[in-house]
Amino acid sequence: MYMSSSVNTVKVKYREQWATFARSWYLIDARMQPPGKIATMCAIRLQGKHKPIYHAISDVGDHVVVINTRHIAFSGNKWEQKVYSSHNQYPGGFKQVTAAQLHLKDPKAIMKLAVYGMLPRNLHRRTMMQRLHLFPEDDLPEDILQNLTEELPQPREVPRRLDQYTPEEQEAFPRLWTPPGDYRVK
Amino acid sequence: MAARCVLGSIWTSISGVRCMANSSNISPFQRITISPQLLFFGSVQNRGIRHVVEKKEGKTTVVSEKLAYLKCWFIIAHCFMIEGLTEDVPVGPQPPNPTAQCPIYRWNLQNKYNYTDVLLLSQFIRSDGGMLPRRVTGLCAQEHRKITICVQMAHRAGLLPKHKPPLPEGHIPKKPKPQLNRYLTRWSIDSVKPIYRTGLKWCKKRISVGHPALKDNVQYGKKILYLKH
């Protein structure tokens, strides 16, 4: 790279411009992740705000592919408490569904609504949503798999379950208390 | 005096064993009155862990109880045999603050554990997921409450899959429950109602995450702990 920039031929300029203005495809795994944090990462990359050449007019957004949207994890009691409302403009057409009900009906809807709410409220929003690709499970079609360039790290550190610790690690952890005389460990 | 203490502990252990023998399934051809006969020799060892082991030899069931802390032999009726086996409990690492009452303070873990520290939490729970009583574990009131809260959150997050209550035999689940991943759930799943009217910005009804009892936990990093989302 150092050698090529010092040479400054026309071919090198073509390559550098292509590398700067190319539209990349990012992959995010949403398993056990909060949908809001995934949505912020998606929105930044769909707008193109992660690039130094960003401008709202110039279309510099990238494609983002989110997999395992069926396995997202909400913190707190949001599955029961968070309500998604919609109105179909008919009288009596106001519907309110909890996050759990919506997720069972459509596993991609929560992710889609989260990203949609984080994008700027202008006409570019619809084109950016077209560049967002959501998949409920791991399986991706061939053409998208070939386009992917980078996988982004997960925002939340997934904790290990008790059976995922090896017996050696469980033995190595010290016992904090000793049971009194004749107490039987159930 | 030491012998009297040891005999006292033997009687308590026998009463425990008798209750256990009564509750266990005694087959019809073994309806024999249980009369304890003791043979005792040896001295008291360090505290250890007590396990009940059942072995079947032909028609008789041999219920042996490993009494790790007493070198004793118990013989209860000719159909039941209780063995006392010595078990050398290895000496583990010593706590940095041995003079404290509560085990959390003994190991200087106050304000440092969370619902993800399953190795710590699993030491205070039963095999079916319930908490052990405070008088047994020796925890102080506040830490017992915090551990209970963390254990509840860990159960709801699915981090303790093996500590489930035993289902009765032939239990058929009516409807398969939806497997929704969650973490830091404060309230029980069935007790929470949806927030249909969240309100305006100045009077928003926030969703509570985590628990205020763990507010004083050490935060490694610049992020503040948000309890209302």
Side-chain angles (χ1 to χ4, degrees), chain A residues 121-179:
Chain A
R121 315 287 196 265
N122 54 27
L123 293 172
H124 291 300
R125 185 160 60 159
R126 297 273 165 160
T127 41
M128 287 189 250
M129 285 304 287
Q130 283 183 338
R131 289 185 188 144
L132 173 72
H133 310 274
L134 298 167
F135 294 96
E137 304 286 348
D138 286 80
D139 44 344
L140 294 169
E142 275 296 323
D143 39 2
I144 292 184
L145 264 178
Q146 282 163 9
N147 286 343
L148 295 171
T149 57
E150 194 189 331
E151 186 178 351
L152 301 172
Q154 292 191 315
R156 175 197 170 220
E157 197 190 312
V158 182
R160 279 163 75 179
R161 293 197 315 256
L162 188 58
D163 52 346
Q164 285 171 342
Y165 281 99
T166 56
E168 292 82 27
E169 284 174 319
Q170 294 190 25
E171 289 296 314
F173 200 83
R175 302 276 157 268
L176 288 150
W177 63 287
T178 48

Side-chain angles (χ1 to χ4, degrees), chain B residues 51-69:
Chain B
H51 302 278
V52 178
V53 174
E54 264 195 41
K55 284 180 242 170
K56 278 214 163 172
E57 293 167 11
K59 281 186 179 177
T60 57
T61 51
V62 172
V63 182
S64 66
E65 191 159 15
K66 287 187 188 175
L67 297 161
Y69 65 101

Side-chain angles (χ1 to χ4, degrees), chain B residues 86-148:
Chain B
T86 52
E87 207 179 78
D88 288 324
V89 180
V91 178
Q94 292 304 307
N97 188 12
T99 51
Q101 299 287 323
C102 173
I104 304 281
Y105 280 86
R106 252 181 268 144
W107 289 85
N108 284 335
L109 289 172
Q110 60 271 29
N111 301 331
K112 288 198 182 133
Y113 57 91
N114 204 358
Y115 76 104
T116 48
D117 303 317
V118 178
L119 290 169
L120 175 85
L121 299 175
S122 58
Q123 294 184 21
F124 296 100
I125 53 175
R126 290 199 309 254
S127 60
D128 61 348
M131 282 287 291
L132 291 168
R134 224 185 89 198
R135 57 188 160 79
V136 162
T137 56
L139 286 164
C140 50
Q142 294 84 12
E143 294 301 323
H144 178 80
R145 189 165 163 260
K146 284 188 202 172
I147 295 259
T148 310

Side-chain angles (χ1 to χ4, degrees), chain A residues 71 76 78-79 96 174 176, chain B residues 120 123 181 183 185 187 196 229:
Chain A
H71 305 281
K78 285 181 200 164
W79 284 117
Q96 282 185 301
L176 288 150
Chain B
L120 175 85
Q123 294 184 21
N181 301 326
Y183 62 102
T185 37
W187 312 118
Y196 287 115
H229 280 206

Side-chain angles (χ1 to χ4, degrees), chain A residues 2-125:
Chain A
Y2 169 72
M3 281 303 293
S4 63
S5 57
S6 68
V7 175
N8 274 351
T9 54
V10 175
K11 276 190 185 171
V12 165
K13 283 288 179 189
Y14 268 136
R15 197 209 299 169
E16 282 178 359
Q17 184 163 24
W18 182 89
T20 325
F21 290 97
R23 200 173 290 147
S24 356
W25 285 65
Y26 291 99
L27 178 70
I28 301 178
D29 189 1
R31 183 178 283 273
M32 301 298 285
Q33 303 298 312
K37 293 215 164 125
I38 301 280
T40 51
M41 292 162 63
C42 293
I44 288 169
R45 275 149 187 96
L46 286 166
Q47 291 175 276
K49 289 208 152 173
H50 61 297
K51 296 180 176 173
I53 48 157
Y54 168 79
H55 193 85
I57 304 169
S58 35
D59 187 17
V60 287
D62 289 332
H63 290 255
V64 179
V65 176
V66 184
I67 56 174
N68 285 323
T69 54
R70 184 172 274 140
H71 305 281
I72 49 174
F74 263 125
S75 57
N77 289 91
K78 285 181 200 164
W79 284 117
E80 291 79 37
Q81 284 186 310
K82 195 169 170 62
V83 160
Y84 288 91
S85 325
S86 62
H87 201 299
N88 67 350
Q89 296 182 345
Y90 287 98
F94 186 52
K95 262 192 192 164
Q96 282 185 301
V97 281
T98 58
Q101 290 165 348
L102 183 65
H103 193 67
L104 292 170
K105 199 172 155 194
D106 179 16
K108 303 198 273 188
I110 289 183
M111 219 43 250
K112 191 170 171 189
L113 286 166
V115 178
Y116 194 73
M118 294 194 185
L119 292 172
R121 315 287 196 265
N122 54 27
L123 293 172
H124 291 300
R125 185 160 60 159

